[in-house]
Amino acid sequence: MSRPRSRSALGAEAAKEFGTRDALQPGFVVNERASSRVADAVDSEPHDPRQELGAAELRILYRTEAQAKRRKEARPGLWIAVVIYVLFSVSDLLLIPDVAALTITARFAVGLTALLVLEAQLRRGAATDWLDVTCAAAIIFGYIGWLYPASMGANKETVAYYMVFGTIFMMSANLFFTFRFKVSIITSTIILCILYVVNYFLPASLAYKMVFGTFYVSCFTFTSYVNWKLNEERYNVFLNALEAKIQHNEATERGKALLRLSRTDPLTGLENRRAIDEKLRDYWNDWQKLGHGFAAILIDVDFFKKFNDCYGHQEGDRCLIQVAEALSDLIKQYDGSIGRYGGEEFIVLARMGRKDQVADLAEAICRTVENLAIAHELRRDGIAIVTASVGAAFTRKQTAAKLEKIIHEADRALYLAKAGGRNCVRLFDPTDPQSSDESENLAALLKIAIGQDLVSLVYQPIQDVASGRVEAVEALMRLKMLDGTLVPPSLFIPVAERTGAILELGRWAIRTVCAELLAQDHVRVVSVNVSPIQLKTPGFATSVATILGETGVTGNRLAFEITEGLEMEMHSDILRCISDLKLLGIRIWLDDFGTGFAGLSWLRLIDFDTVKIDRSFLHDCGTPKGMAMLQDIIALVRNRGHKILVEGVETEEQMLLMRQFGIDKVQGFHVGRPAPAANFQTKRAIQKRPFTVLKSA
């Protein structure tokens, strides 16, 4: 560490300081400025306070610190001095017994008065300088109160020698009290003058007076010099202490800064996952020990990858920052914590005890993001601004004893919010089979389903309306539990998609379809439902090609049904995968057309072989409005040049209506119910007619 000024230079500054006037009250004002500059020095590179603060400001800081020390030491210092002063009464009795009563009385009077005055000043909060004046006056009057009656003694020679103890008072002013240098010099000078006056009037020889006069001056000079050096050293110690304090504060601040950095997301300035995990642990401990309930809320910015693809990553970062700032302002009102949990996902923790409070906060989060009105033109779901899906969970009496459980519950609620259309809120409901622990049981069951033969396929026929023949079949997946109980597809398919089990199940379904019906030419075409998750998985088209090669089935015997829905995003990987599948000869069908927002965009981007119109439109055609809607959808698809398949044909009247509308294919209970593969294998052997299998849903 550099020291631009030497100790001697600092000593000179100190010498000047101890001879200057101590303006206490203005010092406080300057001290605030100096303290501020010290704080600035902590944050800057130089560490030496002498480089950061001027000499005057350093002296003011030193005086302020010295005042506190003098104030603290005034009471014990004076009490000890008074006790020693009174104990010297013994020497009075031995050396000047004729006036001892007077000197002892004077000692007690001066000592008691000084203590009473000092205690009164301390109670009233008197300035430190007045405390110094009281202690200095006690020294002077203590000396006078003892010396005057002692000089009245009969034995003048003894009194003359006894006067040498007056140098103790001189030393007390310079060494035993921590007076400012100026106060010490004044006090010692007064005592020196008193000594010379008394020495002059004593009936002693000239040699005695010269020797003792020289001794008094020597004591005065020696003690003053030592006092000056002590004060200089105190100032240097102060500088070193200040320097060390600045270094310590700087190190502490840097440590805090590093800690903040390690706990802060660099993009949004919110707490990062590490910090949130620590807070989550604190919230959880309070819940377990004190019963303070809280909510965990996960927020996912909808279609954020599309936003990045459209506007660029810089705009994507700006979007996340805007969302983070808006949510941070909102969460402050609820005295909660918010952090970035990764990518475009945020997490909120807030102490709440009731479900309606959690719902209100979650809804406020959703609306806050929507109200930002950040343009997002590539969503193609009817909304042109950035929105967020929100999943919330909260502590309940039935909450599991594991910390991770509440986050897992919030994640499941978020999944349902995204699956339910996005830009919405879902609260974890333990009674909902899609979010309850039952789905966890299903997830575990799906892991062993193939190995334990718990999963199977049934096939529902698809009829050509013009010829009346069954031209294809749709493969439908079935799952049973270990006890044989059947699980509805509406329950296990979403769980399979959420957990990723759909990937293995999908490959199994395609392989089974090829082996059961297509390899032996039992049916002409089989359709299989394919999840968007499968289409986004790298290597899906390759795995299908491998299955076709192993089973000896050509691609044109397979049809993949893609369900229209919000989860079916305009993802480049999906479009690329569909293109690869079509190169294999596989037919691509659009399933459940009309139930989502993305259908028209898909019709424009992909050349579907067949479009399946959802059964709800056929069942609603009993009213004029429903009939008009069905006709409009049929006309729309027909104008695009796609073949049309209508689901849900259950009566002869509906079948006649399909013939009237010129529909290509129909499917429903009127045509045939789902049946095992054996039914179609027998039919194919006798009738020699081709069939087509549909999906694994």
Side-chain angles (χ1 to χ4, degrees), residues 3-28:
R3 296 184 181 275
R5 285 184 278 180
S6 65
R7 289 289 186 185
S8 59
L10 288 173
E13 282 188 8
K16 293 178 185 177
E17 155 62 13
F18 304 132
T20 58
R21 183 177 179 182
D22 184 4
L24 178 61
Q25 297 305 322
F28 284 120

Side-chain angles (χ1 to χ4, degrees), residues 274-534:
R274 173 184 175 183
I276 283 293
D277 284 344
E278 292 178 6
K279 283 199 172 180
L280 177 61
R281 198 172 297 111
D282 294 338
Y283 276 63
W284 184 263
N285 290 336
D286 287 347
W287 157 248
Q288 293 289 313
K289 296 176 182 178
L290 306 176
H292 296 163
F294 70 96
I297 304 173
L298 291 177
I299 306 127
D300 188 86
V301 179
D302 296 329
F303 300 106
F304 186 70
K305 187 178 186 305
K306 286 181 181 292
F307 187 93
N308 270 339
D309 293 341
C310 176
Y311 301 104
H313 289 283
Q314 287 187 339
E315 283 300 318
D317 289 347
R318 189 173 291 112
C319 170
L320 291 178
I321 292 171
Q322 287 182 262
V323 171
E325 289 176 349
L327 293 181
S328 182
D329 292 340
L330 172 68
I331 301 307
K332 285 178 183 177
Q333 304 173 23
Y334 292 85
D335 194 25
S337 302
I338 180 172
R340 189 180 179 195
Y341 218 49
E344 66 272 22
E345 191 170 293
F346 301 89
I347 183 172
V348 169
L349 301 174
R351 300 192 187 280
M352 292 182 170
R354 300 199 316 270
K355 181 178 179 179
D356 60 322
Q357 293 177 321
V358 180
D360 290 344
L361 175 56
E363 192 64 37
I365 290 171
C366 196
R367 299 289 76 82
T368 296
V369 177
E370 187 178 24
N371 291 339
L372 290 174
I374 303 173
H376 190 350
E377 298 174 354
L378 284 190
R379 291 180 56 140
R380 303 183 186 278
D381 62 349
I383 303 177
I385 59 174
V386 169
T387 60
S389 300
V390 181
F394 53 95
T395 50
R396 313 172 309 281
K397 291 182 179 179
Q398 299 83 8
T399 301
K402 288 188 177 181
L403 169 64
E404 298 79 8
K405 187 68 175 179
I406 192 167
I407 296 298
H408 186 50
E409 292 175 349
D411 187 56
R412 283 150 66 178
L414 177 62
Y415 175 83
L416 293 178
K418 294 166 70 174
R422 292 188 169 88
N423 190 28
C424 63
V425 171
R426 291 291 183 273
L427 267 63
F428 176 79
D429 183 358
T431 63
D432 184 351
Q434 291 296 331
S435 61
S436 68
D437 290 337
E438 184 62 28
S439 67
E440 296 305 298
N441 297 333
L442 289 176
L445 187 67
L446 289 171
K447 291 181 180 180
I448 63 172
I450 296 176
Q452 298 288 331
D453 291 329
L454 301 177
V455 65
S456 60
L457 294 177
V458 293
Y459 303 90
Q460 185 172 22
I462 297 173
Q463 186 181 78
D464 180 87
V465 175
S467 65
R469 294 184 303 177
V470 174
E471 289 194 346
V473 293
E474 178 183 7
L476 302 171
M477 190 175 293
R478 297 291 183 258
L479 175 71
K480 63 181 179 180
M481 303 186 74
L482 293 173
D483 61 1
T485 304
L486 291 176
V487 181
S490 60
L491 287 184
F492 75 81
I493 292 298
V495 175
E497 291 179 333
R498 177 168 59 84
T499 61
I502 193 67
L503 300 177
E504 185 63 29
L505 291 172
R507 285 191 292 268
W508 172 88
I510 296 170
R511 188 180 300 275
T512 302
V513 162
C514 291
E516 286 187 343
L517 296 182
L518 296 180
Q520 300 300 322
D521 198 28
H522 293 299
V523 294
R524 180 179 299 169
V525 177
V526 178
S527 75
V528 180
N529 279 291
V530 174
S531 166
I533 296 174
Q534 295 170 267

Side-chain angles (χ1 to χ4, degrees), residues 107 248 466:
R107 288 179 188 275
H248 173 74

